[in-house]
Every structure is written in structure tokens, then in C-alpha cells.
Amino acid sequence: MITIALPKGRLMEESIEILKNSGIEVETPTSRRLFFFDKGNRYRFLIVRAQDVATYVEHNAADLGIVGKDVLNESKPDVFELLDLGIGYCRMVVAGRDNECLHKKNSSVRVATKFVNIAKEHFLKKGINAEIIKLYGSIELAPILGIADCIVDIVSTGKTLKENGLSIIEEIFESTAILVSNRISYYTKNPKIREFLEHIR
Ligand code: PRP
């Protein structure tokens, strides 16, 4: 049997859809149970926080996992990237009230974000001095309240930015969900992983 970590939240529904369309019979998880099996008992699925999927895979608690490129770019886990699933499309962007927010004289730009490493790397590449302010959610509030000049965050529909009076200043990269594999499992369970890949491809 192989174990596959699935992300809670925005990617869960689309991930289940992919499994169902591939002929892997699973029930849509509804209870608080954090793992379930397919009807053929070939796969065990774990339901974990999106940010934790790659950690479970890296530490061999799961053989495979579905994880957004945004999370992979932030935490750079030691896993194999097997397949771009094309689901969960979103963009990593710099957003603010206007373009001026990046042009500060004599002080660094204050950037609020959940994606500290991505933000640091982005501003370093641009040669802009940035002070990164780590938040865990509702990032869009930071420029409104004046604790940051701009944010680095994911945008999907664009609704949250719009409703909070912010707009995209720069796109950093596009993100979709990737099927990742534990490095050891990829070799020791290769036939089973290949079979799973054949199903969902
Ligand atoms: C994400 C992201 C934005 C929002 C973008 O937050 O941080 O706030 O979704 O989506 P939209 O472009 O479709 O409006 P999430 O919903 O994960 O909640 P959070 O703010 O608590 O992290």
C-alpha cells in the first residue's frame, strides 16, 4: 500500500476530483477522521495542512503528496517533483495600494507575508531593501492598517485584493499543484508509484 498526503482547504476538492476521475474509488471525506482508504485498499490518504504535506513526504510518513508550487518554493523540501497536476492555479504576487509603495526613500520597504523566504528572495533579486513582516493570514489588512507598504501573497480570483482596495504590482510566479514523492519511496515502491501515476495522468 502507498500513503498519499492530501492538502486540506482549497486544493482538497480538486484533488479528490482527480482521484475519482482516475477510477480510484474514494468517498469524499466528511468526518473529522484524518485518514481514509480507497475502496480497493491500495491507497491510504492522509488529510493534512497544505503547508505540512511536503514535510510528511520528506520525512517518509507519506510516500506521495499533493502540494502547491507556492508551498514548495517557500519551504524547498527535499522531495521529487513527479507531475504538475494543473489544479489549484494561483499567482504569487506583490500587491499594494499603488505602485509607489515600492519606492521608499531612505528606508526599507515593509512587506507583510506568509511567504517569508519567497518575499526575501524576490526583493533581494530586485536590489530593494525589504523588512519582512511575517503574518499567518488576512495579509491584506497589513497595508490598510499601515504596518506594511505592500504584501507578498497568493491571488486566485483577485476578490480579496479588490475588496480591500489593493492591486497587483508585480507577479512573482504562477502556481499549480504538484505531485511529489519521498526520495526513498520513489525507488523502493516504484511499481506502485508508477501505477498511481498511470491512473492520474
Ligand atoms: C488566500 C490568500 C488570499 C486569498 C486570495 O488566503 O492569502 O488572502 O486566499 O484568494 P482570492 O484571490 O480568490 O480572493 P486564504 O483563503 O488561504 O486565507 P488566509 O488569509 O487565512 O490565509
Side-chain angles (χ1 to χ4, degrees), residues 8-116:
K8 272 186 198 174
R10 60 174 69 226
L11 276 175
M12 177 57 92
E13 219 169 280
E14 285 179 281
S15 301
I16 297 285
E17 215 42 51
I18 284 196
L19 297 174
K20 285 183 175 166
N21 292 340
S22 318
I24 296 171
E25 287 187 66
V26 289
E27 303 280 345
T28 306
T30 46
S31 72
R32 297 289 291 166
R33 207 164 147 200
L34 298 175
F35 65 92
F36 61 96
F37 300 87
D38 73 308
K39 287 212 177 113
N41 258 328
R42 283 172 301 167
Y43 306 113
R44 177 172 66 159
F45 297 96
L46 312 179
I47 302 175
V48 305
R49 286 284 296 268
Q51 294 88 338
D52 294 335
V53 167
T55 309
Y56 280 90
V57 175
E58 186 175 5
H59 294 276
N60 212 1
D63 303 301
L64 298 174
I66 294 179
V67 58
K69 193 88 189 155
D70 53 337
V71 176
L72 289 178
N73 284 356
E74 174 63 17
S75 57
K76 299 202 164 53
D78 190 17
V79 294
F80 285 138
E81 293 183 24
L82 298 186
L83 180 66
D84 187 336
L85 296 168
I87 58 171
Y89 175 82
C90 59
R91 294 183 293 157
M92 183 67 67
V93 302
V94 179
R97 288 212 259 210
D98 53 49
N99 285 4
E100 290 312 301
C101 66
L102 294 188
H103 304 114
K104 302 253 309 213
K105 281 193 194 118
N106 309 325
S107 65
S108 48
V109 174
R110 296 165 307 157
V111 184
T113 189
K114 285 183 260 192
F115 300 93
V116 169

Side-chain angles (χ1 to χ4, degrees), residues 10 114 136-140 153-161:
R10 60 174 69 226
K114 285 183 260 192
Y136 291 88
S138 306
I139 315 294
E140 293 81 359
D153 200 10
I154 53 165
V155 174
S156 174
T157 61
K159 227 173 150 208
T160 315
L161 285 185

